[in-house]
Amino acid sequence: MGYRILVATPVAMIGAVLLAIGGAQAEEPEADATKWRGFHVGGELGAAWSSYSWSVAPNYFNTLGPTVLGSELTAGQGGFAGGAFGGYSWTVGPAVLGLEVGIRGGSLAKSQPDPWYPATDIATSDIHWMASAVARAGYAWQRWQVFGKAGWAGANAGLTLTDTGTGITSTTQKWINGWTAGLGVQYMAFDRISVGVTWDYTDLSGSGIGSSCPGCGSGVGLGAPVLDAHVRVNAVMARITFHPGP
């Protein structure tokens, strides 16, 4: 299964911003680690790319009478994403420890012929919303902070199968859970305002997921799909953060 990797334009933009701000701030006093202490809120914009793997039990869409034509369906898609986040940080010397929650939206939908009846059937995989709650650990130096993060993640994942010949459609939408981890760098550009860039990887799965298909019938060669899902998402995000303090 492959990834379709987008050119992360926001990353180039944030690099230019960091260089410009760095020059403008060169003669100002250096920030200390306590600038990172307390609450923070912010927004992010960037690029994400997904990999979907669906394991499908015998049903209307993948059988020919009693014969099962296959059970695996894979897809990959990239797109733009944006979101908001907030959290709290503590400092111990140059170390910055914190908690952060976030929500991210976008469209990572991929429509393609399904592998069993490619001439007539269309499969659409999608994720529209993701959420996360992570612990962060970082190191502050002058105006910079580098950090790692890891924790829980979840997303609303879906698979739609459509027989264009008969109009029969199966729809699955399910919140699935997993984990996320990533790395980031931030620069305290102004008093209480930082800019930065993050990369994160998210791995989600679910099993025994039912679908709605009123026209799928029942019996041999029929029935609504029951799915196992495995979704992986990489994202590179530019972010701006406001630090009101403790």
Side-chain angles (χ1 to χ4, degrees):
M1 124 189 26
Y3 296 111
R4 180 179 297 179
I5 302 177
L6 298 186
V7 177
T9 303
V11 179
M13 294 172 59
I14 200 66
V17 171
L18 291 177
L19 289 173
I21 291 174
Q25 300 283 327
E27 298 182 0
E28 293 190 7
E30 298 294 351
D32 60 82
T34 60
K35 286 288 188 181
W36 303 101
R37 182 187 303 164
F39 291 99
H40 67 270
V41 294
E44 59 182 4
L45 179 67
W49 54 100
S50 61
S51 171
Y52 302 95
S53 179
W54 304 94
S55 181
V56 186
N59 66 89
Y60 172 89
F61 291 93
N62 68 343
T63 56
L64 178 60
T67 303
V68 178
L69 303 178
S71 61
E72 299 297 322
L73 190 157
T74 61
Q77 180 64 22
F80 288 103
F85 55 87
Y88 191 92
S89 297
W90 299 264
T91 57
V92 182
V96 184
L97 307 175
L99 300 172
E100 186 175 279
V101 297
I103 186 168
R104 187 176 293 169
S107 180
L108 295 175
K110 174 65 174 180
S111 292
Q112 63 189 43
D114 82 13
W116 311 301
Y117 291 99
T120 58
D121 292 5
I122 301 296
T124 301
S125 304
D126 67 80
I127 287 180
H128 291 289
W129 291 101
M130 298 178 64
S132 63
V134 300
R136 288 179 38 155
Y139 178 83
W141 176 73
Q142 297 182 354
R143 291 182 174 272
W144 296 90
Q145 183 194 163
V146 294
F147 63 88
K149 60 179 181 176
W152 166 86
N156 183 27
L159 174 66
T160 300
L161 298 171
T162 302
D163 181 343
T164 61
T166 64
I168 293 174
T169 297
S170 166
T171 303
T172 304
Q173 286 289 333
K174 179 70 174 181
W175 188 270
I176 58 176
N177 297 294
W179 59 271
T180 186
L183 300 170
V185 59
Q186 289 177 274
Y187 180 79
M188 191 67 73
F190 305 101
D191 186 35
R192 303 301 181 185
I193 297 177
S194 69
V195 292
V197 62
T198 64
W199 161 81
D200 54 70
Y201 171 81
T202 302
D203 192 291
L204 309 170
S205 61
S207 60
I209 303 169
S211 59
S212 173
C213 184
C216 283
S218 62
V220 177
L222 300 172
V226 177
L227 315 167
D228 294 341
H230 189 191
V231 179
R232 286 160 285 192
V233 181
N234 281 274
V236 178
M237 309 294 289
R239 56 167 48 189
I240 183 168
T241 309
F242 174 59
H243 304 264

